[in-house]
Structure formats: C-alpha cells, structure tokens
Amino acid sequence: MKKNIFITCLLTIIVTSSFCISTQEDQFENAKAEKDGIKMETLYKKIYEEDRDTYFGQLSLMELAKYNFFKREYKDAVSFLKKIHDQRISGKQYWLAKSYFKMGKYQLSIVSSQIFIAESDDNVQIENAYFLIAEAYLQQKMYKRTFNTLESLRTSKYIQNSIPLLHYKMGICKEKQGKFEQALMFYKKLKQDFPYHQYCYLAEDRIYNLKKSDKVEVDLAEINTFRKEEPIEESKAATGKDLKIYLQVGAFGLEASAEKLGKRVKVIGYKYIVFSKIKNNSKLFIVAAGPFDENDDLKKAMQKLKKNDIDSYVIKRY
C-alpha cells in the first residue's frame, strides 16, 4: 500500500514538472513573438521569476540581457547575464564582453572575450570577439597587445568575413605606434585587395593624412591605380558565372538579430551566411541558408524551413 502511494506521488511530481516546463516553453514563445518591448520584457521577467533554474527561466535571462544591451542599459544587461548558470545556454561571455566594453570596463571585456573564444564553436562570433579584444586594448593605448591580437586573428581559421576591417585596424595600430611606413603597407594592401570596400575609402583618408602631415612619402596617383575597371570577359556580373544558390530567410536592421536567425537555420541542419546591403539609405543584414548545389532539392529544404516557421525564397549571389 505504501509502495503504491509512493509511486502515485512520484508520478504526480513528474507530470506536474513536465506540465510546468511545457507551460514555460509556451510562455517563452509568446514572449519572443511579442512586438511591444515593454510587454516582452515583462513576460520574460515573469518566466524567470516563476522558476529561475529551469532552461526557459535561464533562457529568459539571456533575452532580457540582449534587450537591455540594445537599450544601452549595459549595467542591467550584465546583471542578467551574471545570473545565467545553465551550461546549455551559449553566448553569455560574448554578451558580457560586449556589455563591459560599452561600460568602459575594458579588462573585463577582454577576459570575457577570451573565455568565449576558448569555449565557443561559433566561428563568426569568435571572429567578433577577437576584434573586441583588439579594440579594448586599443582604447587603453596598449598598441603592442592590440597588434598581437590582430595578428593572431589574421593567422587563425576564424578570420573570414572581416579581412578589410582587419587590415584597416592593423594600419591604425601601426599609426598609433608611430610606425607610419608599416601603417601605409596595411592601407595599401587593403586598397589593392578590396578596392571598392568601405574600409578602402577610409584607408584612402588615412594615407592622405599621412602624406599631408609628412609622415610618409607616397604617390597618391600610383595608389589610386589599384582601383581599375574589371575586364568585361572577367566580369562575374556579366557572365553569371560562379553564382551560388541560397534561400533567403530574413532581413534585419541589427546584425545580432540576423545571427540569431542564422543559428536557428544551423540547428535545422543547414549552413548559413549573413551579408549586408543598403536599402532606402539603411543598412540591412540578410540571412540566407546555403549554399545549395543545383542538384539539391530546394523545395524540400524550403518545406523543412517552413515547418520551423521560417519562410524562404531562392536568391543567387557570389
């Protein structure tokens, strides 16, 4: 008899716990779907206060931290992040590093970035973390450490999306060290390899200022010959060669939002890219699943994404 009572109680506890977790998950999804920022924040706080140690309670802390970060309430963001202890929730150290940097606590930002790099397998955010470390050193006028950090990134597998920024920052660092010829070398490399990139135009300004202040001797006309028209026979736009097939799944004003959707795509089973474009004088971050081969079943991929509430359509890009 006692045994039956014990089993009944145990089953009641298990069922009740499962019900609570399910309810929390529903509440979390409702909070994510909420468009009003204040209401969304209230919902996340309610989830956390109901049970602080469940997965969705902890996940709500991460969302609250991000929300406060984008509101520029960095102290509050840090407060929420420090309460996260669930090991399944990634990105805690990354957002701590970003928040500390905005607060001017550069050493704490560096430490959090280093922890994130050691623990994470997200190559995109690891690349960003290296730049965050370099910028934190730069703000403290620790130029040798700045350059060493950038050099470590340059020789790592993580530098993929921001090579122009890397050259530009290395040039800036050498300028701060008073090594103007070396700075010029990085600016020239940037102009030669990425003649139409936004950082190329910034590099032009740096070169002009170095020449104007008699820091370097350089022929500006020679420098500008890096920017040439591509021969027609090599124009990818004209031939359509090397185009890759992607499924565009979203567009956001914030890069963090784009990366968040990209991670969902990755969990579903597809690679993704995030790239930017200018529309109506505003910068948009585009998320695309892929690339796909011509023989891949795109319809099947679109259906799989749709089942996860992600609409998509085919685009082609290099």
Side-chain angles (χ1 to χ4, degrees), residues 17 46 77 141 186 209:
S17 299
K46 182 181 177 183
K141 299 181 180 180
F186 285 110
N209 290 333

Side-chain angles (χ1 to χ4, degrees), residues 246-307:
Y246 293 86
L247 292 176
Q248 181 170 325
V249 295
F252 301 88
L254 294 174
E255 187 174 8
S257 299
E259 286 294 341
K260 185 176 180 179
L261 179 57
K263 288 180 180 179
R264 286 183 60 198
V265 170
K266 186 177 180 181
V267 169
I268 294 168
Y270 299 109
K271 294 181 180 179
Y272 75 93
I273 60 169
V274 173
F275 61 92
S276 61
K277 72 175 184 178
I278 303 299
K279 185 175 182 180
N280 298 329
N281 295 322
S282 297
K283 190 173 185 179
L284 282 178
F285 293 94
I286 311 299
V287 190
F292 296 92
D293 294 329
E294 291 184 4
N295 297 326
D296 286 337
D297 191 342
L298 290 178
K299 186 176 180 180
K300 185 176 180 181
M302 294 173 77
Q303 289 173 344
K304 189 174 180 181
L305 289 166
K306 182 65 176 177
K307 285 182 180 178

Side-chain angles (χ1 to χ4, degrees), residues 29-46:
E29 291 301 323
N30 289 336
K32 281 180 65 177
E34 179 59 61
K35 302 298 182 183
D36 184 282
I38 296 176
K39 290 181 180 178
M40 178 187 69
E41 187 176 23
T42 301
L43 288 172
Y44 281 134
K45 285 181 178 178
K46 182 181 177 183

Side-chain angles (χ1 to χ4, degrees), residues 63-310:
E63 296 304 319
L64 285 166
K66 291 179 183 178
Y67 178 68
N68 278 272
F69 178 86
F70 291 119
K71 284 199 308 177
R72 301 183 181 181
E73 300 289 345
Y74 306 120
K75 187 175 180 180
D76 289 338
V78 168
S79 178
F80 286 122
L81 288 164
K82 284 184 174 181
K83 295 174 184 176
I84 297 174
H85 56 74
D86 194 312
Q87 297 299 316
R88 293 171 292 177
I89 300 174
S90 62
K92 170 183 175 178
Q93 294 296 335
Y94 179 76
W95 287 98
L96 273 174
K98 288 168 70 74
S99 300
Y100 282 137
F101 183 87
K102 291 294 187 179
M103 294 168 68
K105 297 183 177 182
Y106 300 122
Q107 283 302 126
L108 289 176
S109 178
I110 290 167
V111 171
S112 289
S113 295
Q114 290 171 336
I115 294 172
F116 176 77
I117 290 170
E119 296 179 346
S120 177
D121 58 358
D122 186 330
N123 288 359
V124 173
Q125 288 195 330
I126 289 175
E127 182 183 38
N128 294 337
Y130 269 103
F131 279 114
L132 200 55
I133 293 172
E135 195 63 34
Y137 280 134
L138 192 63
Q139 292 296 324
Q140 297 175 91
K141 299 181 180 180
M142 302 169 72
Y143 304 127
K144 185 175 181 180
R145 291 192 177 184
T146 303
F147 187 82
N148 289 342
T149 301
L150 294 170
E151 179 63 17
S152 294
L153 176 59
R154 187 186 70 81
T155 56
S156 75
K157 65 179 181 181
Y158 303 116
I159 184 66
Q160 297 176 8
N161 303 316
S162 303
I163 297 175
L165 173 60
L166 179 69
H167 289 321
Y168 183 72
K169 287 294 184 180
M170 292 179 96
I172 291 289
C173 186
K174 287 301 179 183
E175 269 197 73
K176 295 292 186 180
Q177 290 179 295
K179 299 178 180 180
F180 303 115
E181 290 294 337
Q182 292 183 34
L184 177 63
M185 178 186 71
F186 285 110
Y187 295 144
K188 288 171 69 175
K189 177 68 172 173
L190 170 54
K191 283 178 60 62
Q192 185 170 5
D193 293 348
F194 304 93
Y196 299 100
H197 196 278
Q198 59 175 328
Y199 282 106
C200 171
Y201 297 100
L202 293 176
E204 284 181 355
D205 291 338
R206 306 303 305 182
I207 293 172
Y208 176 78
N209 290 333
L210 286 173
K211 179 177 174 62
K212 186 177 179 181
S213 58
D214 296 323
K215 297 292 193 301
V216 296
E217 292 184 7
V218 59
D219 185 349
L220 295 178
E222 180 184 349
I223 293 291
N224 288 330
T225 60
F226 290 140
R227 189 174 296 150
K228 297 179 180 179
E229 294 297 325
E230 294 182 358
I232 294 176
E233 63 272 19
E234 295 181 4
S235 173
K236 292 180 180 178
T239 63
K241 293 180 179 179
D242 299 328
L243 282 171
K244 294 180 180 178
I245 302 170
Y246 293 86
L247 292 176
Q248 181 170 325
V249 295
F252 301 88
L254 294 174
E255 187 174 8
S257 299
E259 286 294 341
K260 185 176 180 179
L261 179 57
K263 288 180 180 179
R264 286 183 60 198
V265 170
K266 186 177 180 181
V267 169
I268 294 168
Y270 299 109
K271 294 181 180 179
Y272 75 93
I273 60 169
V274 173
F275 61 92
S276 61
K277 72 175 184 178
I278 303 299
K279 185 175 182 180
N280 298 329
N281 295 322
S282 297
K283 190 173 185 179
L284 282 178
F285 293 94
I286 311 299
V287 190
F292 296 92
D293 294 329
E294 291 184 4
N295 297 326
D296 286 337
D297 191 342
L298 290 178
K299 186 176 180 180
K300 185 176 180 181
M302 294 173 77
Q303 289 173 344
K304 189 174 180 181
L305 289 166
K306 182 65 176 177
K307 285 182 180 178
N308 289 272
D309 299 321
I310 300 177

